[in-house]
Amino acid sequence: MPCLYISTNVNLDGFDTDSIFSEATKAISSITGKPEDYVMVLLKGSVPISFGRSTSEPAAYGELVAMGGINKPVKRQLIATLGTIMEAKLSIPKTRFFLKVVDVSTATGSKL
């Protein structure tokens, strides 16, 4: 089950978060090959973030954790696609979005 957790300093009031959830879920499912029904997305706004010595410019940090299906090309595609969604939906430049992608099945050596 892929789980994406995004924290941003952007106040989410007035933004269409449903479309963010929907687009991110579809993208993760399509890229990883996991069914949409097993993708979880969490989005937290108004989080104090310092990025490049700026605390006022829009920025976001994300972690995507999955069991299997993650390799370098998948990782690159996830970073690019989710960065595009953050830029389009929350006006967070791709250069101010950091995504950590972890395949827990390779970290532990097991495939539960």
Side-chain angles (χ1 to χ4, degrees):
M1 173 166 106
C3 177
L4 172 66
Y5 183 85
I6 296 176
S7 297
T8 179
N9 59 355
V10 173
N11 182 331
L12 299 176
D13 292 342
F15 283 97
D16 179 11
T17 55
D18 285 342
S19 69
I20 297 169
F21 289 126
S22 175
E23 287 187 35
T25 298
K26 286 178 184 170
I28 294 165
S29 174
S30 172
I31 295 167
T32 64
K34 306 288 183 182
E36 285 186 36
D37 290 343
Y38 293 105
V39 175
M40 180 184 289
V41 178
L42 297 89
L43 180 62
K44 185 171 185 177
S46 301
V47 176
I49 295 176
S50 173
F51 192 120
R53 292 184 272 163
S54 172
T55 58
S56 60
E57 293 179 54
Y61 171 78
E63 290 186 10
L64 187 130
V65 179
M67 288 192 282
I70 304 296
N71 55 36
K72 277 189 179 182
V74 166
K75 213 182 258 195
R76 287 182 180 137
Q77 192 173 4
L78 286 165
I79 292 166
T81 303
L82 294 171
T84 298
I85 293 169
M86 293 296 101
E87 190 167 45
K89 299 294 182 181
L90 297 176
S91 299
I92 299 170
K94 291 179 188 178
T95 56
R96 296 186 53 80
F97 173 62
F98 182 86
L99 182 64
K100 177 181 175 181
V101 182
V102 179
D103 184 336
V104 292
S105 67
T106 58
T108 62
S110 66
K111 297 204 181 231
L112 299 176

